[in-house]
Amino acid sequence: MSERTAAWLRRRLAAHSRRVVDSGAFTTTVFCLITANAALLGVETYTGVVHQWHAALKAAEHLFLAAFTAEILLRAAAHADRPGDFFRDPWNVFDLLVVTVAFVPFARENATVLRLLRLARVLRAARFLPQLRIVIVAVGKSLPGTLSFLLVGALLLYVYAMVGWVFFADDDPEHYGSLGRAVLTLFLLMTLDGLGDAVRAGLEISRWSILYFASFVLLGSFVLVNLLIGVVINSLQEASALEAGQDRPVPAQPPPAEESILALRARIADARRTLDDLEAGLEPSVPPRR
């Protein structure tokens, strides 16, 4: 088989597979399979059902694995003409890992790993739900900002925990007797849990403790949390813009071979017009009759 024939077969395979993958029936079928797989996982949490229907549940699991394998093969075949494009989509890479690892002997022999892999299939439902996909992409984009938020929050907790240990350790050792206890107490106060009791206990020690709790709640519960909300909202906007850009149809362009043929035809037409002009100039003029 020549290279040109193999390339033609790859293009035909990719075109037919792409029509199947992009069809609404295929998307609906895969989404229903993922939902049914999630329901099967929930059913298997009941011991009585597992003992009674063990063989049927095992057969259903094999059928789901076969169906998901056929799906990923179809998605790969849709990129047969450009295999590199398949791995540029993170969802394709995730689907491929979830499906292929299930065939690894270690994963099949380890019940815990196998359950986690089957649970990961449920996350594939985000591929078919645009809003959920936007949220997941936004969470990934917000990780750098979230790490900065965690560093600032840890610094705030450390400083206030040390101050609380200095001033309240002797009078309230249960909550401020060590750095760890002080951090735990302040972390709970950051969620406004038990703030009233903490303020009353602090006022019994010193009336100036109100400044300590007020400043911590202001910085920890309002400023930092609002900063985190801002980071998440910004990431959601970026994810929405990215999703909109991916959904925008790309104008069809002729392949390079067709472009070269069109250019060649245009050059041939120009050459013919030039020859016609030359022939017209070479024809002898007819003398007028007397």
Side-chain angles (χ1 to χ4, degrees):
M1 183 183 297
S2 64
E3 184 177 353
R4 181 175 300 178
T5 304
W8 179 80
L9 289 176
R10 286 197 300 270
R11 287 196 297 269
R12 291 292 301 272
L13 175 62
H16 288 296
S17 302
R18 198 174 294 120
R19 280 197 293 269
V20 175
V21 170
D22 294 339
S23 64
F26 180 82
T27 302
T28 304
T29 302
V30 175
F31 183 77
C32 291
L33 286 173
I34 294 174
T35 306
N37 180 53
L40 181 65
L41 287 175
V43 169
E44 291 182 356
T45 59
Y46 296 92
T47 308
V49 177
V50 173
H51 287 307
Q52 185 176 359
W53 301 93
H54 178 74
L57 294 175
K58 203 69 176 176
E61 163 59 19
H62 291 316
L63 288 176
F64 280 125
L65 182 59
F68 290 135
T69 304
E71 178 214 353
I72 200 65
L73 289 177
L74 269 175
R75 292 190 184 278
H79 296 81
D81 52 344
R82 295 184 299 273
D85 292 346
F86 176 82
F87 296 98
R88 290 192 181 96
D89 188 352
W91 290 106
N92 288 336
V93 177
F94 176 74
D95 296 345
L96 183 64
L97 288 176
V98 170
V99 173
T100 53
V101 174
F103 291 96
V104 178
F106 169 75
R108 298 187 64 84
E109 295 171 0
N110 193 317
T112 303
V113 175
L114 187 59
R115 288 193 184 97
L116 291 176
L117 287 174
R118 295 173 63 188
L119 183 62
R121 297 177 196 166
V122 181
L123 298 177
R124 299 182 60 235
R127 183 189 189 110
F128 308 98
L129 300 174
Q131 296 301 323
L132 182 57
R133 189 165 62 242
I134 290 174
V135 172
I136 293 177
V137 173
V139 170
K141 287 184 171 295
S142 65
L143 286 180
T146 304
L147 291 177
S148 301
F149 165 82
L150 292 177
L151 291 176
V152 175
L155 180 62
L156 180 70
L157 281 175
Y158 179 80
V159 171
Y160 272 84
M162 289 299 298
V163 173
W165 175 78
V166 170
F167 287 101
F168 305 130
D170 296 334
D171 298 299
D172 191 3
E174 182 180 356
H175 296 97
Y176 299 95
S178 64
L179 179 63
R181 290 187 177 184
V183 168
L184 178 59
T185 300
L186 292 176
F187 181 78
L188 294 176
L189 289 180
M190 189 180 291
T191 64
L192 304 180
D193 183 21
L195 178 60
D197 296 335
V199 171
R200 282 191 292 270
L203 289 175
E204 292 178 359
I205 299 172
S206 172
R207 67 179 63 182
W208 297 103
S209 64
I210 189 65
L211 297 177
Y212 172 80
F213 292 109
S215 61
F216 177 76
V217 170
L218 179 64
L219 293 175
S221 299
F222 295 103
V223 176
L224 278 182
V225 172
N226 284 322
L227 286 176
L228 179 61
I229 292 173
V231 170
V232 174
I233 290 177
N234 186 44
S235 300
L236 278 173
Q237 292 175 349
E238 292 180 2
S240 299
L242 181 63
E243 185 73 17
Q246 290 178 350
D247 292 341
R248 188 179 298 115
V250 179
Q253 297 180 353
E258 186 175 347
E259 290 180 353
S260 62
I261 292 175
L262 293 176
L264 181 60
R265 289 178 178 175
R267 293 177 63 183
I268 292 174
D270 292 339
R272 286 178 177 174
R273 285 194 295 268
T274 304
L275 288 175
D276 292 340
D277 294 339
L278 290 174
E279 289 178 356
L282 293 176
E283 290 180 356
S285 59
V286 180
R289 296 181 179 181
R290 294 182 179 179

